[in-house]
């Protein structure tokens, strides 16, 4: 009844796992950025912290000056230290990925990379997650793999309770 699982090629697993780990670090850094933004709002700091500003180390160094409470300042400094650590790791990984990874399917890569907002790393991440587009027998299977289809909750032709997404 269940379809046979796809066995991802061993030769590509290490790169895919590296790209996944990078994505984990990016999410952690984003979580710290949001926490800093919330702290900024909580203490009524008029100058908003935006993700584009947070990319600048010079700007990040000005953030602690906005807080006078010692406990809040310690929290902000801890968040900024972790943000910087994640930023350094992500930057190093991205340079290593760009230097050492080769695109094995240039046609698929160029199609993915043509999407506005996707650069080399994200395009490569998508390509490594999909692996071979031809493994999907039709568009519907690919869309389902991408989790862009709501699942129906039914059995014996009867609709069951609706999940949180539908």
């Amino acid at each position: 009844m269940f379809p046979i699982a796809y066995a991802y090629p061993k030769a590509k697993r290490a790169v895919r796992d590296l790209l996944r780990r990078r994505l984990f670090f990016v999410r952690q850094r984003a979580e710290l950025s949001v926490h800093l933004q919330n702290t900024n709002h909580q203490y009524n700091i008029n100058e908003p912290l935006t993700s584009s500003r947070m990319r600048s180390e010079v700007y990040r160094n000005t953030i602690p000056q906005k807080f006078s409470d010692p406990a809040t300042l310690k929290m902000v400094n801890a968040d900024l230290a972790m943000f910087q650590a994640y930023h350094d790791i992500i930057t190093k990984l991205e340079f290593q990925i760009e230097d050492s990874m080769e695109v094995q399917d240039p046609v698929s890569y160029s199609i993915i990379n043509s999407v506005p907002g996707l650069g080399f790393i994200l395009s490569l991440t998508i390509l490594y997650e999909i692996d071979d587009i031809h493994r999907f027998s039709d568009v519907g299977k690919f869309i389902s793999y991408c989790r862009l289809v709501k699942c129906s909750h039914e059995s014996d032709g009867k609709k069951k309770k609706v999940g949180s997404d539908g």
Side-chain angles (χ1 to χ4, degrees):
M1 298 273 308
F2 291 105
I4 296 174
Y6 178 72
Y8 197 88
K10 279 187 180 183
K12 292 182 175 182
R13 287 180 195 163
V15 176
R16 181 198 60 189
D17 293 343
L18 179 64
L19 290 164
R20 285 180 176 176
R21 196 64 185 160
R22 179 208 159 265
L23 185 59
F24 170 79
F25 293 142
V26 167
R27 287 181 178 149
Q28 295 297 104
R29 182 181 65 179
E31 189 175 307
L32 288 165
S33 180
V34 167
H35 186 259
L36 286 164
Q37 290 172 14
N38 289 340
T39 304
N40 198 45
H41 291 298
Q42 181 181 354
Y43 288 91
N44 297 319
I45 307 296
N46 292 331
E47 185 183 354
L49 296 177
T50 61
S51 56
S52 60
R53 284 183 173 175
M54 290 294 292
R55 290 186 197 120
S56 164
E57 187 174 358
V58 173
Y59 177 75
R60 286 194 307 271
N61 290 336
T62 67
I63 294 172
Q65 302 163 8
K66 300 173 184 178
F67 299 94
S68 57
D69 181 67
T72 306
L73 188 57
K74 286 179 183 178
M75 178 181 64
V76 166
N77 282 330
D79 282 353
L80 287 168
M82 290 303 299
F83 185 98
Q84 186 63 47
Y86 281 123
H87 185 74
D88 292 344
I89 290 168
I90 292 164
T91 302
K92 186 177 179 182
L93 282 175
E94 287 175 350
F95 280 127
Q96 290 171 345
I97 290 167
E98 286 184 29
D99 286 345
S100 62
M101 302 307 144
E102 59 184 61
V103 177
Q104 295 177 350
D105 183 357
V107 174
S108 295
Y109 174 78
S110 66
I111 292 169
I112 294 169
N113 200 36
S114 69
V115 176
L118 294 184
F120 177 76
I121 299 290
L122 283 177
S123 297
L124 198 62
T125 302
I126 292 168
L127 192 62
Y128 269 84
E129 286 297 333
I130 294 169
D131 186 33
D132 180 15
I133 195 72
H134 302 296
R135 69 186 175 108
F136 302 100
S137 58
D138 58 53
V139 173
K141 299 242 187 290
F142 178 68
I143 290 173
S144 179
Y145 169 81
C146 295
R147 297 185 181 192
L148 296 173
V149 177
K150 292 182 181 179
C151 10
S152 61
H153 300 275
E154 61 180 69
S155 176
D156 193 28
K158 298 175 186 166
K159 192 167 184 173
K160 302 293 180 186
K161 80 172 193 180
V162 179
S164 61
D165 61 349

